[in-house]
Amino acid sequence: MRVLAERNHDIKIPTIPQILVEVLRVVRDESSSFNDLVTIIKRDPPLSASILSLANSVYYGGKNFGDPSSACDWIGRDAVAARALSSVIFATSSKWRVTIDKSKFWRHSIEVAICARSIAKKINHKYPEELYTCGLLHDIGILYLNMYDKDEYSRQLKKKIVSQRINKLEDECLCANHAKVGQDLLREWGLPKRICKAIGQHHNICYNKYMSIESCIIALANIVSTNRIIEVQNCCAADLKEMEMLQNSLKLDSNSLKEIQLKLPGQVNTEASFLELNIGSEKELLLQANRRLLEILMAKTGRYQSLANRIDKLKEEFQKNNPNVVIIHADVDRRPIDNIISKCQDAQKKLNDNTNVDEIMAINQMLFDLVDYVDEQRTILHNEFPEKESGEGNKSFGCQVWFGTNRKPKDIDDINKGFSNERDDLIHFGKCMVYIPKSHKIGALETTSILKISSLIQNCITLEEIKQLKEETFWKSINNELRKYKIDDQTALIFLHGFNTSFKNAALRAAQLHYDLKIPGITAFFSWPSQDSFLKYPVDEASIGASEKYIEDFLIKFASFCEAKKVHIIAHSMGNRALLRSIRNVTKRVNQKSNIPFSQIILAAPDIDTETFKALAGAYRKAAKRTTLYVSSRDWPLFLSKELHGHSRVGKTPPVVIVEWIDTIEASEVNQSFTGHGYFSEKKDLLHDIKSLFQYNLPPDERIGLISKEAQDGIYWKMQ
């Protein structure tokens, strides 16, 4: 949560109200009685009034209680506890100075709260009122980010485009998203773990099979609320897909969800009155709906225009190359597009506070009709002129990565054929050009594997060129690239791969890390002669041992000749063996004023004997500003390595290896990859954690999503 601390040294966690401390103490203490909770509520007049208002509402039978004790008895312990938590936190956060529209913010929060409680009841969840609390507080991280970083947060929000997820924009621009910030804030305040986790995960829907039931409920309620003001068919495709996934996970049928949606508007204003909150009228909601529909319509019209332009350009090129051929298709009619844009502009002028409800409804219907029309016309164009993107057109980013390797070239006369799995007795230097597709997703290494299908290649990370360089030219090339960046930003990353890795895959992974971590500088990798075969594990063990001197030499030269202000290392799996044995000599031989040649060293899933590691790991203290160890209980290759060697491996828990001066991060909860071994580069949460280390050198207690755990040898950190 304190990633923003680098920009704002006055940042601090808001003080928790004393009444909330007392309520939480009773809620967490199983030995506390219901009367203890009632006593606390009666001491706080605003909270007592809120509970009375709730008990006397139609929702609870329209009674006329005047005594908080009777009201609490009528509502029940769970509902009272949930409402007490919600009311106090709402009252606290409402005092925060923020620039966002609070009415719109709290309306959405109340909708999610009601919807979450209703879904919980439909699926017979044990604590529906707890889900109400989760829903009401699910976006509290937005208030926190806005309060402490108003200028930057507001500036970044202006960049948001239609259908772009706000959490993704936050991750890219601030290295923090409101879900994780909210989770950390409420955890600091001591709220129950289930509530904190549900709030932290409500945007992680692509991994919904690993989400808690509470997280799925909040995620679904959030999508329902976000899209309530427009018809379901106009949701973005991602929302529709996620709704279906979440409904299936919760075993919630569409009729039940529709019933919840229909009841939602009437319940929102009633709930808002409990909190004495002005959330706007239905007319204001309709205005908001129409403005969003206008955004969607203009975006769809823009895509229709782009398609029309492409078709006209194709016709023009065809006619130029084939002057004697008559094209039977007429030019795309632009008049409907011009007409739509004109109607949108008229609607924009009419949508104001002075417009009456009937006019707003008429505009609403017109916009829905136009959206349907644009979709229909775009489908027709697509059917007549199917879009065939070329591989070149889909390559959005050319990524250079530099390399050192002690592999033998496949063809000494044509280095572009790559490097073999055989050992050489020298280091070859060079650089590769790797292309990242537009469709790339963070953490993915999109390759065709054994599928040599041409239609898939355009959506893959591809190695296009390998160029060998003389050593002197190699360092000059790296330093010339670094000079393109601001002096303080000049960064170099060295990637050292593990077993079962070819030269090509090492290059692709290095490029993916460079791209996903947004390295402001260069990335290089050292590729030792791994056999690229799971079954040749013993051969790889021999190869990494024989490669230690070459890796050591490469690191010494890198620390000596590279002009980057910060040099980071990521070592994976078996690559950690060579790094561990060479790092002491590297530190001794590199002559730098700081005596610290590297900034961050990341030890990812090390395939190293635990006792050997503990004996030699002290060398990392002098080698880097911070060394971080990532381990997991779900790492199956390391489980097999442990069985093969008869002793525990550092990267496989239990036990959790804790060494002084090294931060150990237990990542089992986010490690859901197929083998559980490559999670360091595949999971967004881990990549964001590494990125925050590279950018800010933050200790674990100041990074998002980490909680401290005690073990026999000391403290380690668990990733949530």
Side-chain angles (χ1 to χ4, degrees):
M1 183 168 60
R2 296 173 213 168
V3 173
L4 304 175
E6 291 290 314
R7 290 198 297 271
N8 183 353
H9 295 287
D10 296 328
I11 195 168
K12 61 181 180 179
I13 297 172
T15 306
I16 182 171
Q18 185 57 35
I19 184 68
L20 182 57
V21 173
E22 295 181 29
V23 170
L24 284 168
R25 177 179 53 78
V26 172
V27 169
R28 288 197 298 258
D29 187 356
E30 293 182 1
S31 64
S32 296
S33 68
F34 186 34
N35 287 334
D36 293 333
L37 182 59
V38 174
T39 301
I40 293 169
I41 290 169
K42 288 171 73 174
R43 287 206 308 266
D44 188 83
L47 189 52
S48 296
S50 177
I51 296 296
L52 282 170
S53 177
L54 178 65
N56 293 330
S57 69
V58 176
Y59 184 83
Y60 280 98
K63 302 293 182 180
N64 192 27
F65 293 108
D67 173 36
S69 299
S70 304
C72 290
D73 285 337
W74 180 252
I75 296 172
R77 179 189 173 103
D78 291 341
V80 170
R83 289 310 175 95
L85 291 175
S86 302
S87 298
V88 175
I89 294 176
F90 166 77
T92 302
S93 58
S94 294
K95 296 173 185 175
W96 296 350
R97 294 180 180 178
V98 294
T99 56
I100 62 174
D101 183 340
K102 280 191 176 181
S103 295
K104 184 177 175 182
F105 174 88
W106 285 115
R107 181 175 196 107
H108 170 66
S109 298
I110 291 172
E111 284 182 354
V112 174
I114 295 168
C115 191
R117 181 178 61 196
S118 301
I119 292 170
K121 288 184 175 180
K122 285 285 185 185
I123 66 171
N124 297 317
H125 191 278
K126 192 175 179 181
Y127 303 109
E129 290 298 335
E130 192 172 275
L131 270 299
Y132 175 93
T133 302
C134 288
L136 191 66
L137 305 178
H138 80 287
D139 274 346
I140 196 169
I142 290 178
L143 293 181
Y144 182 90
L145 285 169
N146 186 264
M147 175 174 62
Y148 279 116
D149 213 22
K150 293 185 183 69
D151 295 338
E152 178 67 8
Y153 192 67
S154 300
R155 187 173 67 82
Q156 297 300 345
L157 282 185
K158 288 177 183 177
K159 295 180 182 179
K160 186 178 181 296
I161 59 174
V162 178
S163 82
Q164 185 180 15
R165 301 295 175 87
I166 186 174
N167 59 305
K168 290 186 177 179
L169 184 66
E170 292 166 340
D171 279 332
E172 290 172 7
C173 302
L174 305 173
C175 292
N177 69 66
H178 68 273
K180 288 292 185 184
V181 167
Q183 177 184 11
D184 281 5
L185 173 62
L186 297 178
R187 190 168 60 209
E188 291 279 353
W189 279 358
L191 264 71
K193 184 179 178 181
R194 277 200 307 271
I195 292 178
C196 298
K197 188 172 183 179
I199 288 169
Q201 287 188 336
H202 78 267
H203 280 298
N204 292 358
I205 301 165
C206 51
Y207 306 112
N208 76 301
K209 65 180 178 179
Y210 306 115
M211 292 168 69
S212 65
I213 291 176
E214 292 80 14
S215 302
C216 289
I217 291 172
I218 298 303
L220 180 57
N222 184 53
I223 295 173
V224 169
S225 171
T226 302
N227 293 288
R228 185 178 77 79
I229 56 175
I230 59 173
E231 292 182 359
V232 171
Q233 64 266 28
N234 292 307
C235 299
C236 67
D239 278 355
L240 286 172
K241 183 180 179 181
E242 289 172 357
M243 281 181 74
E244 185 179 351
M245 288 168 61
L246 291 164
Q247 281 182 251
N248 290 337
S249 292
L250 296 170
K251 295 182 173 60
L252 181 70
D253 62 85
S254 298
N255 289 334
S256 296
L257 187 61
K258 192 169 184 179
E259 181 187 336
I260 291 169
Q261 288 174 295
L262 290 172
K263 291 180 179 179
L264 200 52
Q267 295 174 327
V268 171
N269 289 323
T270 305
E271 293 284 342
S273 67
F274 298 151
L275 299 170
E276 298 180 355
L277 179 66
N278 175 22
I279 57 171
S281 64
E282 281 298 312
K283 176 182 172 180
E284 289 170 325
L285 185 62
L286 276 171
L287 282 169
Q288 180 189 344
N290 282 346
R291 286 173 185 138
R292 184 167 177 201
L293 274 172
L294 271 171
E295 287 182 351
I296 292 170
L297 180 56
M298 291 303 289
K300 289 191 174 192
T301 304
R303 290 195 290 272
Y304 177 79
Q305 269 185 309
S306 297
L307 182 58
N309 291 339
R310 186 184 67 83
I311 291 167
D312 283 347
K313 187 176 179 182
L314 285 173
K315 288 179 182 177
E316 186 181 328
E317 289 176 359
F318 182 83
Q319 191 73 71
K320 185 177 178 180
N321 297 326
N322 303 275
N324 298 322
V325 178
V326 178
I327 299 177
I328 59 172
H329 288 286
D331 288 341
V332 177
D333 187 358
R334 302 303 176 102
R335 287 174 297 179
I337 297 175
D338 296 336
N339 188 32
I340 289 168
I341 293 172
S342 175
K343 286 185 177 181
C344 286
Q345 290 170 344
D346 289 341
Q348 213 157 15
K349 292 175 185 176
K350 290 178 182 177
L351 289 174
N352 56 60
D353 294 338
N354 297 323
T355 312
N356 63 48
V357 173
D358 290 338
E359 285 181 289
I360 295 173
M361 292 296 291
I363 292 171
N364 187 258
Q365 187 57 54
M366 179 197 75
L367 292 175
F368 277 128
D369 292 342
L370 288 176
V371 168
D372 290 340
Y373 175 78
V374 172
D375 284 341
E376 181 184 327
Q377 292 302 307
R378 194 159 173 260
T379 301
I380 291 170
L381 283 184
H382 263 300
N383 291 338
E384 285 196 51
F385 303 95
E387 201 160 0
K388 295 180 181 179
E389 292 188 31
S390 67
E392 287 298 317
N394 197 43
K395 292 169 186 171
S396 61
F397 183 77
C399 179
Q400 286 189 105
V401 286
W402 283 256
F403 69 83
T405 182
N406 62 323
R407 295 173 184 260
K408 278 188 176 179
K410 289 181 178 178
D411 185 342
I412 196 67
D413 297 319
D414 185 3
I415 208 69
N416 207 44
K417 290 182 180 178
F419 291 86
S420 70
N421 299 336
E422 295 181 42
R423 300 181 203 170
D424 210 338
D425 56 1
L426 75 161
I427 299 177
H428 299 276
F429 295 90
K431 64 180 178 180
C432 302
M433 176 58 76
V434 177
Y435 280 103
I436 313 285
K438 286 181 182 178
S439 56
H440 172 70
K441 295 181 180 178
I442 292 177
L445 193 63
E446 298 96 343
T447 59
T448 53
S449 186
I450 60 170
L451 301 173
K452 306 299 182 183
I453 302 172
S454 60
S455 61
L456 291 179
I457 292 173
Q458 64 185 10
N459 295 316
C460 296
I461 296 180
T462 55
L463 175 57
E464 294 293 314
E465 182 184 30
I466 303 171
K467 187 176 181 180
Q468 189 161 7
L469 300 173
K470 292 180 180 178
E471 186 175 345
E472 183 182 348
T473 309
F474 177 81
W475 299 115
K476 189 180 291 185
S477 172
I478 282 178
N479 292 327
N480 285 341
E481 183 67 21
L482 285 169
R483 292 186 193 111
K484 296 177 183 179
Y485 297 85
K486 293 179 182 177
I487 292 177
D488 291 341
D489 291 341
Q490 293 174 358
T491 302
L493 168 64
I494 304 170
F495 172 55
L496 186 57
H497 65 76
F499 87 108
N500 187 24
T501 304
S502 65
F503 177 88
K504 177 184 174 181
N505 283 341
L508 298 181
R509 183 61 77 188
Q512 176 248 318
L513 287 168
H514 179 88
Y515 186 83
D516 288 348
L517 294 172
K518 292 182 168 52
I519 302 296
I522 69 101
T523 294
F525 66 99
F526 188 93
S527 186
W528 52 277
S530 164
Q531 297 301 295
D532 189 25
S533 170
F534 190 82
L535 298 177
K536 293 187 177 180
Y537 180 87
V539 181
D540 276 7
E541 286 197 298
S543 290
I544 190 65
S547 300
E548 285 177 13
K549 61 180 180 180
Y550 300 106
I551 293 170
E552 180 180 312
D553 189 40
F554 184 75
L555 292 175
I556 288 169
K557 288 178 176 178
F558 213 98
S560 303
F561 302 139
C562 175
E563 296 175 0
K565 301 305 175 189
K566 292 186 285 189
V567 179
H568 309 304
I569 298 175
I570 296 179
H572 179 229
S573 183
M574 200 179 281
N576 278 282
R577 297 190 193 180
L579 180 64
L580 178 64
R581 294 186 184 280
S582 61
I583 198 69
R584 187 182 300 275
N585 289 337
V586 171
T587 307
K588 284 180 181 178
R589 289 173 57 185
V590 174
N591 181 19
Q592 290 192 351
K593 292 179 182 178
S594 65
N595 293 320
I596 300 178
F598 304 108
S599 179
Q600 302 292 327
I601 294 181
I602 306 296
L603 313 177
D607 184 6
I608 306 176
D609 180 90
T610 300
E611 297 306 319
T612 302
F613 180 79
K614 287 181 177 179
L616 300 177
Y620 286 119
R621 179 181 176 183
K622 294 181 179 180
K625 289 181 180 177
R626 185 179 301 280
T627 301
T628 304
L629 167 65
Y630 289 98
V631 299
S632 170
S633 63
R634 299 179 178 180
D635 195 321
W636 296 111
L638 291 190
F639 170 78
L640 295 174
S641 178
K642 175 187 175 183
E643 294 298 305
L644 178 67
H645 294 97
H647 201 277
S648 61
R649 316 310 284 170
V650 174
K652 173 72 171 71
T653 62
V656 178
V657 175
I658 299 172
V659 177
E660 193 176 9
W661 303 107
I662 294 178
D663 299 325
T664 300
I665 311 296
E666 214 285 345
S668 299
E669 285 208 22
V670 298
N671 179 12
Q672 308 294 347
S673 58
F674 179 66
T675 65
H677 195 51
Y679 57 91
F680 80 101
S681 60
E682 297 170 357
K683 297 302 169 186
K684 277 202 304 185
D685 289 345
L686 268 155
L687 287 166
H688 286 144
D689 193 52
I690 293 171
K691 185 179 175 183
S692 67
L693 272 169
F694 285 1
Q695 289 187 337
Y696 305 113
N697 185 32
L698 294 177
D701 62 338
E702 294 186 14
R703 303 205 304 270
I704 293 172
L706 300 178
I707 58 172
S708 62
K709 295 284 185 179
E710 288 190 16
Q712 187 174 354
D713 295 333
I715 299 290
Y716 70 97
W717 301 84
K718 191 172 181 67
M719 183 167 280
Q720 297 294 296

